[in-house]
Structures are given as structure tokens and as C-alpha cells.
Amino acid sequence: MHGVRRARQTQEALEAKRLKDQSKLHDYLALSDDVLARKKQKDWSREALRSTTQLLQINPEFYTVWNYRRHILVNGIFPESTPEQIKDLLKDDLSLTMAALKIHPKVYWIWTHRGWCLNNVPSGPGVDGEGDLRGWEKELWNQELFVVEKLLDADPRNFHAWSYRRVVLDSLPVPKPETSELAYTTRKIESNFSNFSAWHQRSKVLSSLWSTGRLDQTKSKEEEFDLVQNAMYTDPRDQSVWIYHRWLIGSGDNKEILDREIAVIQSLLEEETDSKWCMESLVHYKRLLLHNHAALVDKSALTRNCIHLLEQLREVDPGRRARYDEIELEITRL
Amino acid sequence: MSHETNTLLIPLHVSYIENLGKNKNDLIYHLTAHLRMNAIYWGLTALCTMNHREALDRDEMIDYVMSCWDEETGGFGAHPDHDAHILSTLSAIQILVTQDAIGRLDIDRVVKFILSLQQPSGVFAGDSFGEIDTRFSYIAVNALSLLGRLGDLNVEKTVSYIVQCRNFDGGFGSRIGAESHAGQVFVCCAALTILDRLDEIDTPTLSWWLAERQLPNGGLNGRPEKLEDVCYSFWVLASLSMLKKVHYIDSDKLISFILSAQDPEGGGIADRPGDMPDVFHTHFGMAGLSLLGYPGLVDIDPVYCMPAALIENLGLRKGWQSLERRMR
């Protein structure tokens, strides 16, 4: 259980609650026993389906009952139904899971059932009835994108929703171009720079666009550095941006970019003199200079500068001093 | 900070765990039946960590585990008549190994069940309905190694999927494309450790990402800009332990944080100070304290999250690092 405050309750209050729960408990156990008994007897009837609906509305974490529900649909009800009826039954389950997700947005079993529904949509006409065999799939997968967006608006860090979003994007009968997903991450980042989930998604989309040549990597990276610089200056304490920046720099084989970014961060440090992230990044990037461009730099000056930064880091971030000690050892060993 | 919560209240936590199974008149007890097998593993291991395993009856526990055997599939469910799932199957195996009762198991059938869940991509599903997650990859590797059947595993396929889950921050996600999360980092590090493939980890970057999980209040979070939570005291710490970078975080502050999340009245540990305790956080908080060298606790193996001596006797101990056990 997460995030439930401890409440000091009187004995009377506890007893009253226990009594109130007794009838709930009695009903719940009766329902649960009934459903599990039907399951044992392989009852695939509509009545059984209704019992599972009731039980899952009370307890959507009862994974065995989601399993049973799927067995009822596949073994009992679908075989007697037309494709259109199957589609409608699945839409009912989409409503059921939607209602459950509004209260329990992080329960794996609910997301899994939703995905199962989508994967079982039969071939058939869509809204326009134009005879497109993937019409229903298109309608429902497009709707999923909308559903996931709503859930990510409510909680932009919900990793279940982000994972599901990636599944939806992969499954759309008419794929959306990756550049449109890039634009989605831009929207999420611009609404809150502190959304690491969006930066992460962006890193995946860009990697794909670069490796397939659909976006020119050099030009695109420059745009990323601009975006990141803006975010850094807006809130230098947010680690998402710094972690993303480190990825953009990569192995540090481009000295021009390395020098430029070091200068940018150096300026920021002059304004934000306690910024642990500026100091940490400068040490890392200067080490990359020492490692990759030794012949072109003043090694001893850079090393002294790193050591000075590490001293400051030990002061502003004493909890992590052992790591700074280790880095200093590594630098001076060279 | 209350004086009561700056030491570990072992007797209180032992009785907290002892009393967990006695709540059969509580609605919440029944609403969590789908977690029961896991909860017993958490409770048992927490007791072992406190050196009080005798507080729960061994025979009753073993009988319970065996009553959850799903004869049709060859795995264990969370509760009698619940379907087999890889999550409850691992907990069942861990309980039987800890209780030295592995002889009760039809090992061939369980191995067959586990191996049947591997997908063409190399990841494992949780059950026949196909939910995939690197947690399940870890579970498969862990379970097979406890059963001495790692040789039956397609290691290359298993490792290859995990490697594809590696992200720009050095961390790992639940599936290919997913964001790094400390829980997923733990399972991927542990699976790679068991398979002797730590070379696939970008240790400098990942140990940095892990170190940055510590917040000013001393607690650890699971991802950038999220709240601290006692369970990350294990997921993050165990990962650092496998990478031999436990010293990257402030152990005194983390110990204080975990201790402050104790319930000094009823016992148990919560996700954060002032919240309701539960056996999940009690177990992981305790395991974290053990890795941090808290006095009076038993050594826990971070890879398996089981007593270290037991894992060592099975010949499964890997080269991880924990802090020296303090003397009071």
C-alpha cells in the first residue's frame, strides 16, 4: 500500500469500522466463492460474466477473475456471437477497464485486460461502414491513443500509460509518423520541463529518427541543445534536463560541441553558484575532454579545475561525497 | 523526530508479522488474497532478517504453499484456486527454499511452466495471457537458478532482451522502450548478475543515476523527481550493491529515513514516515537496513533478496558489496 496516512483511531472507531465492514466482507466472500466455484465448473455463461463484472468492480486486482472473464468470453460467448457483437462486448470491457483505471491507474491487470480487448477486435467495418476490413480496429486503436493522452494529462509520469502508449503507437493500423510523436513529447516537455518520462520518450523517438535518416542528426542535435539550454536556465535544479544533456553529449568525441556546452554551463554556474548539477556536469564534460582530446587541451589546468569543482561538490552535496572522492582518484591517477 | 523511531523496533515488527495472518475478519485481508503468496515470502524473509524465523509456523506455511499448486499448469497461484502466475511461483519457490522444503516440489513441472513463458523476443510473460515485463525475466532466472536448472535457459535470448531495455541514463525499463525505474533496474541488474553478464551494464552512468535517487530527507526515490519510498531502499541499494557502489549514497541518512517510517505503536514499516505500514515495506525496509550494516540483523543477499548464508550454501553467491555490520 502506498501513500495511506496512519490515523490514530479510538477503539470505538475501530470497532465501528469493523462492524460496518463485516457485511461488506460477508457479501464479498459470497461473491468471490461463487465466481471461483463457477470457474472450477468451467461456467462460461452470461450469468458468470455478470458475476465477474460485479467482483472486478469491487476488486480489480483479482487477477484470476480477469483470467476467468477472458475464458468466458472466448469459450462461451464469442462462439455464439457475430463479429459485430464481439466488437460490442469488447467495447463494454473497454468501458469497464476505463472506469477501473480512473480509480486505479497503476494496476497492471487492468492495463493487460485492456490490451487484450484491443488485440481481439475482429475484422469488420468501421464507423463509416465503407467496407474497410480493419475499420473497427482503426476506430478502437485511435480511441486508445486518446484515452492514453487523457491518462497522461492526469499523471504525466504514469509509466503504465507511457508503456501502453508505445504499444498503441506500434499497433495503430495506420501508423502515425514518428515526427508526430516527437511533437507530442515537445508538448509534454514544454508544459513541464520536469517530466523525465517525456524526455525519455523523446530520446527513443530521436534515436529512431536519426538512425533511419528521417531527421538529420547534426541539425536535430543542435535544436536539442537549444531546447535543453532553455530548460536548464529555467530550472537548473531539475535533474531530467541534465541527464538528457549528458546523453546528447554522448562520448564527447565532438570537441567543438563539448567546448561550447562547457561554456554555457560555466555561465550558468556563475549565476547559480551552488548548482550541484552545473558542477557535476562540468566535471564529467571536462573529463571527456581529457579523455578524448588530450593533445588539444591544457591537461593540468583542466585537472586542477575538476578537482576544484569536486571540492565544491563535496560541500553542496555532502551525501554523495564518496563518489566525488572516487572521481578525484580516477582523475589524478591519469 | 520521535525518540521511539530512531532504533529498529525488532520485537514490535516480529509481532506485527506474526499477527498478519490473524486478520481473517478484516475485509482488506481478503481483498489482498491475490498477493498472499508474495506476502508470506515478504513476512518470512523479514523475520529471517531479524533472526526470528520461528515466529511463523513452518509446517503451516509449507502446507499453504502446496495448497496453491495449480496442477493444470504446473505453477503456483497466490492463493488456493487462484491461477498460476510467475510472480507467485517465485515466491513459492523462495519460501520452500528458505524453509528447506524444496523436496515438496515437482521441479521438472515448475521448470517446464517457467520456460514455457519465454517469448520469441527473449522476454518472459507472467502467464499464458502474455503480459511481458523484465521483472518476469528476473523471476525466471532467479527461480531456475534456485532450482539448479539454469542450464535449461536460453541465456543469450534472455540477456539480449534485457540489453535492449537499457536506456540513455544507464538504467533499464520494463520492456523495450520503457523508462528507467529503480524496480526494473534492480531486476535487470540481478538477472545479469546471476547470468554473469554485468559487462552489459554501463556502471559509471547507472551508478550515478542510482546515487541521484537519494533525496535531502535521506530517502530514495525510484525515478527523477518522484517521491521517496522505503521500498527503494532495497531496489536502489541492492543494485548499487551489485555494482559495488553502495558507498555512493549517504547510509546514515538512509538508515534514519527507514527507521522514521516505522509504526512505533503497531509495528511494521511504511512507505514513508507517518503512513500505514504493510508487510511489503516492512520486508524491503528491513532488507535495506541489513545491506546498510544495521546492527543485529542477518545478512541478506541483494541478488535474491533472501538470507545470504542460504544463497551461499546453494553455491549461488555472486560478487556483491554491502556495508560492514555495525556493532550496536
Side-chain angles (χ1 to χ4, degrees):
Chain A
M1 272 205 297
H2 286 98
V4 180
R5 299 301 289 171
R6 208 162 71 221
R8 272 194 173 75
Q9 291 184 302
T10 60
Q11 274 302 106
E12 291 86 30
L14 282 168
E15 256 318 292
K17 183 168 194 304
R18 195 167 290 137
L19 280 171
K20 196 169 145 221
D21 279 352
Q22 279 316 296
S23 73
K24 265 198 220 169
L25 176 58
H26 181 263
D27 292 343
Y28 178 78
L29 288 176
L31 180 56
S32 171
D33 288 346
D34 175 60
V35 169
L36 291 179
R38 288 174 184 270
K39 173 178 176 291
K40 241 185 187 156
Q41 290 150 29
K42 299 197 192 304
D43 178 347
W44 311 136
S45 67
R46 285 187 188 259
E47 203 189 322
L49 187 71
R50 276 194 296 274
S51 295
T52 66
T53 307
Q54 228 190 316
L55 187 46
L56 289 166
Q57 281 169 332
I58 301 171
N59 189 0
E61 298 196 65
F62 202 150
Y63 71 88
T64 298
V65 179
W66 285 113
N67 294 349
Y68 177 38
R69 189 180 179 84
R70 290 188 281 267
H71 284 309
I72 294 169
L73 288 169
V74 167
N75 299 320
I77 303 181
F78 286 177
E80 318 168 331
S81 309
T82 65
E84 181 152 12
Q85 286 169 329
I86 292 174
K87 184 257 300 177
D88 287 336
L89 282 159
L90 291 170
K91 284 182 84 165
D92 286 344
D93 273 39
L94 289 177
S95 298
L96 176 66
T97 51
M98 193 66 225
L101 283 173
K102 285 196 175 127
I103 311 169
H104 310 271
K106 301 183 187 181
V107 172
Y108 290 96
W109 316 111
I110 306 173
W111 287 100
T112 299
H113 188 71
R114 204 173 172 87
W116 178 88
C117 291
L118 263 307
N119 286 329
N120 279 276
V121 174
S123 305
V127 178
D128 303 323
E130 74 265 29
D132 175 0
L133 281 176
R134 297 200 73 190
W136 287 334
E137 291 170 74
K138 282 181 192 166
E139 177 199 330
L140 291 173
W141 278 113
N142 285 332
Q143 203 175 287
E144 286 307 280
L145 206 51
F146 179 71
V147 163
V148 143
E149 277 188 35
K150 284 223 89 87
L151 285 159
L152 284 175
D153 284 342
D155 179 1
R157 300 300 304 278
N158 185 339
F159 65 75
H160 298 266
W162 280 104
S163 265
Y164 193 73
R165 184 182 176 83
R166 282 179 278 267
V167 168
V168 173
L169 291 171
D170 277 344
S171 309
L172 288 171
V174 180
K176 290 191 112 195
E178 272 186 306
T179 43
S180 108
E181 184 62 7
L182 185 64
Y184 180 73
T185 66
T186 308
R187 282 203 303 281
K188 289 314 253 186
I189 286 164
E190 285 177 349
S191 82
N192 184 0
F193 280 138
S194 178
N195 187 342
F196 191 79
S197 311
W199 287 107
H200 164 83
Q201 179 77 334
R202 196 175 179 82
S203 79
K204 293 297 182 190
V205 172
L206 281 173
S207 297
S208 173
L209 286 168
W210 294 340
S211 71
T212 53
R214 270 172 288 161
L215 257 191
D216 173 60
Q217 184 166 343
T218 311
K219 182 163 174 287
S220 167
K221 261 200 180 174
E222 289 303 290
E223 285 168 11
E224 292 308 296
F225 278 119
D226 281 337
L227 176 62
V228 168
Q229 201 181 116
N230 192 13
M232 262 179 203
Y233 274 78
T234 306
D235 186 4
R237 284 159 310 167
D238 188 279
Q239 61 183 258
S240 315
V241 166
W242 296 98
I243 299 175
Y244 190 79
H245 188 271
R246 186 165 299 199
W247 170 67
L248 288 176
I249 294 286
S251 59
D253 48 1
N254 184 321
K255 184 173 186 293
E256 205 182 305
I257 290 180
L258 209 41
D259 285 335
R260 185 194 67 203
E261 293 302 306
I262 286 173
V264 165
I265 298 170
Q266 201 86 65
S267 306
L268 181 54
L269 182 56
E270 277 154 36
E271 285 175 40
E272 306 278 338
T273 53
D274 292 345
S275 169
K276 158 262 179 73
W277 289 106
C278 286
M279 296 171 197
E280 158 73 39
S281 302
L282 285 171
V283 170
H284 183 72
Y285 299 146
K286 291 180 187 224
R287 290 182 74 193
L288 287 179
L289 272 179
L290 286 166
H291 191 258
N292 295 313
H293 310 285
L296 300 168
V297 301
D298 181 342
K299 282 207 289 265
S300 55
L302 262 178
T303 304
R304 272 193 318 272
N305 188 229
C306 284
I307 292 172
H308 177 60
L309 284 163
L310 288 165
E311 261 164 36
Q312 292 174 74
L313 275 165
R314 283 189 204 94
E315 262 169 60
V316 303
D317 191 19
R320 281 174 273 260
R321 63 172 306 127
R323 176 169 172 267
Y324 304 131
D325 290 343
E326 214 174 82
I327 293 173
E328 180 162 340
L329 266 175
E330 284 169 26
I331 290 176
T332 50
R333 213 182 284 145
L334 285 172
Chain B
M1 182 170 57
S2 156
H3 179 72
E4 304 160 300
T5 55
N6 58 13
T7 54
L8 186 61
L9 308 164
I10 290 180
L12 210 52
H13 300 315
V14 171
S15 66
Y16 171 79
I17 293 171
E18 270 176 316
N19 289 329
L20 283 171
K22 299 180 185 166
N23 305 337
K24 295 188 173 70
N25 284 323
D26 286 352
L27 181 57
I28 193 75
Y29 179 81
H30 297 278
L31 287 175
T32 53
H34 62 280
L35 287 174
R36 194 76 65 234
M37 187 69 81
N38 306 124
I40 292 172
Y41 154 70
W42 297 328
L44 173 64
T45 309
L47 288 175
C48 288
T49 312
M50 293 186 283
N51 207 12
H52 276 278
R53 66 155 68 199
E54 76 293 338
L56 288 174
D57 186 277
R58 177 182 178 269
D59 291 335
E60 249 177 61
M61 190 181 294
I62 294 168
D63 286 344
Y64 178 82
V65 169
M66 296 319 297
S67 75
C68 297
W69 173 250
D70 181 344
E71 180 57 41
E72 210 181 306
T73 36
F76 289 89
H79 192 273
D81 296 333
H82 286 213
D83 289 343
H85 194 279
I86 209 174
L87 287 166
S88 32
T89 300
L90 175 63
S91 291
I93 294 170
Q94 288 174 304
I95 293 165
L96 292 175
V97 168
T98 304
Q99 296 286 32
D100 193 19
I102 204 67
R104 299 289 298 266
L105 203 52
D106 183 343
I107 293 182
D108 284 341
R109 282 209 74 201
V110 176
V111 169
K112 189 155 176 245
F113 168 68
I114 294 170
L115 292 175
S116 75
L117 296 171
Q118 187 160 37
Q119 306 299 294
S121 65
V123 73
F124 278 77
D127 62 15
S128 58
F129 287 101
E131 177 198 356
I132 59 166
D133 194 310
T134 47
R135 287 180 297 147
F136 305 149
S137 299
Y138 162 68
I139 287 173
V141 170
N142 179 332
L144 291 171
S145 79
L146 286 176
L147 298 174
R149 297 288 290 268
L150 212 46
D152 291 33
L153 178 69
N154 184 330
V155 173
E156 275 324 301
K157 244 170 70 158
T158 306
V159 170
S160 136
Y161 187 88
I162 294 173
V163 170
Q164 289 175 82
C165 294
R166 199 174 53 207
N167 294 317
F168 70 96
D169 45 37
F172 296 85
S174 60
R175 330 178 162 174
I176 296 174
E179 180 185 355
S180 300
H181 178 285
Q184 314 293 155
V185 167
F186 165 73
V187 297
C188 291
C189 282
L192 291 174
T193 299
I194 295 172
L195 298 175
D196 295 317
R197 296 297 295 272
L198 280 173
D199 55 295
E200 296 289 356
I201 296 178
D202 175 357
T203 301
T205 310
L206 180 53
S207 52
W208 168 58
W209 187 87
L210 286 165
E212 296 298 344
R213 294 308 104 235
Q214 189 158 39
L215 295 172
N217 60 26
L220 306 180
N221 65 17
R223 292 184 279 165
E225 308 305 323
K226 298 285 278 177
L227 287 178
E228 69 289 349
D229 185 325
V230 159
C231 61
Y232 295 115
S233 310
F234 181 74
W235 309 126
V236 172
L237 205 56
S239 304
L240 284 170
S241 168
M242 289 179 249
L243 299 175
K244 303 203 175 110
K245 305 285 187 193
V246 179
H247 50 289
Y248 273 19
I249 54 114
D250 185 329
S251 52
D252 287 339
K253 283 191 99 174
L254 181 54
I255 289 174
S256 292
F257 173 77
I258 299 170
L259 293 177
S260 71
Q262 296 176 97
D263 178 350
E265 288 166 6
I269 302 177
D271 56 347
R272 60 186 67 86
D275 278 358
M276 288 216 29
D278 58 61
V279 66
F280 173 84
H281 290 95
T282 304
H283 161 56
F284 288 113
M286 208 64 75
L289 287 171
S290 175
L291 287 174
L292 291 165
Y294 194 85
L297 295 178
V298 167
D299 289 353
I300 287 295
D301 185 307
V303 178
Y304 292 86
C305 199
M306 291 167 67
L310 173 58
I311 297 299
E312 188 152 7
N313 289 340
L314 291 170
L316 296 173
R317 188 189 169 111
K318 297 291 175 180
W320 45 269
Q321 165 214 47
S322 66
L323 296 183
E324 284 261 333
R325 182 82 42 219
R326 303 177 188 197
M327 294 298 149
R328 291 280 141 232

